[in-house]
Amino acid sequence: MVTGAGSGIGRATAHALAAAGATVVGVDVDGGAADRTVEELARAGAPAHAYAVDVTDRTAVVELAAAVESEVGPVGILVNNAGVGMTGRFLDMADEDWDWILGVNLDGVRNGCAAFGPAMVARRRGHVVNVSSGLGFTPRATEPAYCTTKAAVLMLSQCLRADWRSAGVGVTAVCPGVINTPIIDRTRFVGSRAASRDRTVQAFRRGHAPELVAEAVVDSVRRNRAVVPVGVESHVGWGLHRVLPSRLASRLGALDQL
Ligand code: NAD
């Protein structure tokens, strides 16, 4: 099962899992987009099912877990991928901006783990992939909300991995760098960051293909990996995160990089 399967990394991951032999359940708040991904898979001969669900809606995600179990079968692989972007300094952000991005990027992942985790743990079989980001370990003055959500997803994944290891359930945090997807077209630019929209969009257009992340997701399940940076910039960030003194990390984070 892949959340955010209607676009970008989620859509590519749905295709990669289908190519590896999985029956795919594609979930998206945009039901039409989920349907399109599932139709693409069906045309390629892969069994797939679409559900329109908002991952921030806790009750709806619990109901989704029950519906998928009875209509499709037990979920072996859950990819909590649905997410949104926001850029802008902390003091420029409205309360609503903060609640919006925390709701999708963090609570959405938590809701998926809470709704689908119990059956996996009870069956003693399964794998959860949570899509974090290279920004989950790279502090940036201009991305405090996005970085915070992705750092939290990374930590939640590591905690669940420690917890569910003895139950035979693997958990991975996949941490992509800059990936060329439509996320940037829907990203909120707040405060003075609005002026850098064109430059940032161009940088994303030069990013990696979403298929690179999709391959990493499949590989992370096969090899039961813990933390998986994707793209050279994310690998460099992960390396720096582990060796760089924090006073240098904050100086680097003050640079306006995109
Ligand atoms: P995208 O915008 O192309 O796709 C995201 C999908 O999630 C969309 O189809 C959207 O409708 C869906 N979605 C959004 N809110 C939802 C909700 N509340 N409930 C259900 N579905 C919802 O974005 P993408 O680039 O493919 O991003 C996928 C994930 O990868 C996100 O978590 C993002 O933060 C992460 N990521 C992206 C990049 C990048 O450079 N593109 C880098 C690192 C991490």
Side-chain angles (χ1 to χ4, degrees), residues 80-205:
N80 286 308
N81 160 78
V84 291
M86 182 166 72
T87 176
R89 290 175 192 272
F90 184 75
L91 296 181
D92 291 334
M93 240 176 264
D95 290 347
E96 192 272 331
D97 292 324
W98 180 265
D99 292 345
W100 172 69
I101 196 165
L102 267 285
V104 181
N105 289 9
L106 178 55
D107 294 341
V109 172
R110 178 266 167 204
N111 290 343
C113 294
F116 288 86
M120 288 186 179
V121 168
R123 279 198 307 278
R124 305 189 61 77
R125 188 175 162 81
H127 199 104
V128 178
V129 179
N130 293 328
V131 180
S132 173
S133 167
L135 291 181
F137 40 73
T138 311
R140 292 270 288 272
T142 51
E143 325 286 337
Y146 188 81
C147 289
T148 297
T149 63
K150 294 303 182 178
V153 167
L154 173 60
M155 181 54 76
L156 175 63
S157 306
Q158 291 176 304
C159 293
L160 288 182
R161 184 177 174 86
D163 188 13
W164 292 350
R165 173 189 294 271
S166 58
V169 176
V171 183
T172 300
V174 166
C175 304
V178 181
I179 313 298
N180 183 5
T181 75
I183 196 171
I184 197 63
D185 306 317
R186 325 180 221 259
T187 291
R188 287 189 188 181
F189 286 73
V190 303
S192 60
R193 286 292 286 166
S196 63
R197 181 185 288 270
D198 291 348
R199 188 162 49 105
T200 308
V201 169
Q202 290 313 314
F204 271 75
R205 294 291 169 256

Side-chain angles (χ1 to χ4, degrees), residues 132-139 147 150-151 154 175-176 227-230 233-241:
S132 173
S133 167
L135 291 181
F137 40 73
T138 311
C147 289
K150 294 303 182 178
L154 173 60
C175 304
V227 179
V228 180
V230 183
E233 63 280 21
S234 186
H235 280 280
V236 170
W238 183 233
L240 287 176
H241 169 68

